[in-house]
Amino acid sequence: MSESIPTPAAAGADTILVGVDGGAPARRALEWALRRAVRSGSTVRAVWVTAERDGDQSEQSAAGALGYQVERAVAAAGLPATTAGSVEQEVARGDVVGELRRHAREANLLVIGTNFHHGVIGWFKGTRALTLAADAPIPVVVVPDVELGSRAGVVVGVDNVGHADHAVLWAATEARVSEQELVLLQATPLMVGAAPAYVEVGALHADLVEEARESVEKLAVEMREQEPGLTVRCQVTSEWPVQVLSQAGRHAALVVVGSRGLGAIRRFVQGSVSSEVVLSLTGPVAIVR
């Protein structure tokens, strides 16, 4: 592959901030950011945060480890080795969450890895990552340790049917920039007890799904008008939102959710058990406020 990251001056591009440590998820986050930067012309800024108590020697060690992670991510993305020189690298001291929040004020997108897994340590590490997703002033992409090269499509969860909220608008732009298909996904499960006893549940649910389909298709027309040339596909399902988003994450290049749109994600931001589902997504997920 002969592509390299375009210079910001040539692209008038934004900045992608990547939180880096020595783990595989952080390397995947870097790889995701590099792949994104190839298409958008963005600057990638990689930041490694060390503890305040660590001395100069530890800071020097972190700088070397950061450079090594960048080189490995460049290779994983299939980019020329010289691309590593285009990545801004910085070692900071302090609290990881606090430092990345501070650096996020000068970026347009924050990308972090997640090494969530079932168990006390996995819960702690994963929750720390998504604390950033909940509080950062910019959209956050959370990347697990999964293969990235063969994925396709930007899937966005649609909550207020027929209304292009921030998550949908952001997803449409991201799909255009990354040259991916945009999938508008609306989940319309019938809540238990939502229908009166005298109503035939199957017929009611079919009507609800059809109504949702019509609204999503109208939204698709709006997105095509706003982003000419963008391929938009609608998907309406009767499954639960978090279930179908998790399924989409297995193959999508990116799943996009709104922190104030989907009820499940809103509850996650407030500390709900829905966080487990989001953390368990099997692909990159963007959280947009």
Side-chain angles (χ1 to χ4, degrees):
M1 185 174 182
S2 60
E3 291 177 292
S4 60
I5 299 177
T7 62
D14 54 13
T15 298
I16 303 174
L17 173 66
V18 187
V20 184
D21 57 23
R27 189 163 60 252
R28 291 294 191 183
L30 265 171
E31 179 188 348
W32 188 94
L34 287 163
R35 290 176 180 274
R36 193 336 186 119
V38 164
R39 295 186 173 91
S40 64
S42 303
T43 298
V44 175
R45 180 178 300 154
V47 176
W48 184 302
V49 182
T50 64
E52 287 280 6
R53 63 180 180 273
D54 295 339
D56 293 339
Q57 185 175 0
S58 176
E59 190 167 333
Q60 293 172 1
S61 176
L66 173 56
Y68 179 66
Q69 284 285 62
V70 169
E71 290 173 359
R72 293 190 66 184
V74 166
L79 297 169
T82 54
T83 303
S86 302
V87 178
E88 297 180 359
Q89 301 180 38
E90 178 182 346
V91 175
R93 287 190 182 183
D95 170 69
V96 173
V97 172
E99 281 300 307
L100 290 180
R101 281 177 182 158
R102 183 175 67 83
H103 281 77
R105 299 191 191 109
E106 300 177 353
N108 304 88
L109 182 65
L110 170 61
V111 185
I112 52 178
T114 176
N115 49 3
F116 168 82
H117 57 81
H118 293 280
V120 175
I121 295 177
W123 265 105
F124 172 74
K125 292 181 177 179
T127 302
R128 184 176 67 178
L130 287 193
T131 298
L132 278 165
D135 297 337
I138 55 178
V140 178
V141 175
V142 182
V143 184
D145 183 15
V146 296
E147 186 278 326
L148 300 174
S150 61
R151 294 171 172 271
V154 174
V155 179
V156 59
V158 178
D159 185 25
N160 297 322
V161 180
H163 173 63
D165 59 16
H166 289 300
V168 172
L169 293 171
W170 189 88
T173 301
E174 185 65 24
R176 174 183 55 78
V177 169
S178 59
E179 301 174 355
Q180 297 282 348
E181 174 188 53
L182 176 66
V183 180
L184 302 175
L185 192 156
Q186 168 66 26
T188 312
L190 184 64
M191 302 293 291
V192 176
Y198 56 83
V199 173
E200 203 284 304
V201 175
L204 174 61
H205 196 199
D207 290 342
L208 290 174
V209 169
E210 182 58 30
E211 181 180 337
R213 192 182 310 280
E214 292 176 358
S215 296
V216 171
E217 288 175 353
K218 290 180 181 178
L219 180 58
V221 172
E222 179 183 342
M223 291 300 96
R224 292 187 188 102
E225 292 176 348
Q226 181 164 314
E227 298 286 356
L230 180 65
T231 300
V232 184
R233 178 164 59 88
C234 303
Q235 180 180 349
V236 178
T237 176
S238 59
E239 297 179 77
W240 291 97
V242 288
Q243 178 183 1
V244 71
L245 286 170
S246 295
Q247 292 171 349
R250 297 182 184 277
H251 306 289
L254 186 65
V255 171
V256 182
V257 292
S259 65
R260 300 185 185 277
L262 289 172
I265 305 305
R266 181 169 60 248
R267 291 194 297 274
F268 140 67
V269 170
Q270 296 170 350
S272 165
V273 294
S274 298
S275 59
E276 179 180 1
V277 180
V278 176
L279 285 163
S280 299
L281 283 174
T282 53
V285 55
I287 300 174
V288 182
R289 293 201 296 172

